Amino acid sequence: MRIAIANAAEVDQIWPDISEKVIKATLKYGSNVSSGDLWQMCRAGDAFLVAVMDDNGVKGALIMQFQRWALKQVMYCLVIVGEDIQEWLPAARDFITDMAKAGGAESFIAEGREGWPALFPDAKKLRITYEVQI
């Protein structure tokens, strides 16, 4: 397994392998950005596409972004998608932890479904987002 940050040219090569999953994730979990927004952000260098690959191709992807919160720098996860996530997520977490530290981040932030604590048992819940139809 290989985990790496995709450069701008690689984003376009990898995106067809993950686009369906990114679309489904953004629609299912009420993301405030679309798949197209994320693709543009990765191509423009406003977010990192971290690809998880094996001999058969792309297994998964994380789209990450450094953000400045009120009192600290954080590594913010915009989306995680892939197959057999339990198999590669520990290695991907180590990779993004090193990446975050290298960029001066003090923590890793992710929003999403209720099941994330199973994948990140040491996570602390910061907030819950609700939507009211009008």
Side-chain angles (χ1 to χ4, degrees):
M1 182 171 27
R2 187 170 73 87
I3 302 171
I5 299 169
N7 65 36
E10 291 168 330
V11 168
D12 286 345
Q13 293 170 353
I14 293 168
W15 203 263
D17 295 330
I18 66 168
S19 66
E20 290 268 335
K21 291 176 184 73
V22 173
I23 290 167
K24 285 180 185 174
T26 56
L27 292 174
K28 186 173 183 178
Y29 300 111
S31 178
N32 61 348
V33 292
S34 71
S35 176
D37 295 331
L38 293 167
W39 186 11
Q40 287 178 314
M41 291 166 71
C42 292
R43 291 189 85 234
D46 294 328
F48 297 99
L49 172 57
V50 177
V52 180
M53 296 162 282
D54 67 9
D55 293 337
N56 297 318
V58 179
K59 295 279 292 175
L62 303 91
I63 299 177
M64 311 297 299
Q65 183 182 61
F66 284 106
Q67 292 184 355
R68 182 72 189 163
W69 282 29
L71 299 175
K72 63 185 174 182
Q73 179 86 359
V74 303
M75 175 61 86
Y76 189 83
C77 180
L78 296 160
V79 71
I80 299 175
V81 296
E83 305 289 329
D84 304 318
I85 195 167
Q86 290 85 358
E87 181 182 303
W88 53 263
L89 188 61
R93 181 178 175 170
D94 290 343
F95 183 91
I96 61 171
T97 296
D98 291 343
M99 185 178 155
K101 287 178 182 177
E106 296 178 34
S107 59
F108 165 74
I109 305 288
E111 291 184 50
R113 59 186 174 83
E114 291 288 329
W116 282 125
L119 297 172
F120 298 103
D122 55 337
K124 175 182 130 187
K125 188 184 291 186
L126 298 179
R127 62 183 177 211
I128 299 172
T129 304
Y130 296 96
E131 177 182 17
V132 177
Q133 296 293 322
I134 56 172

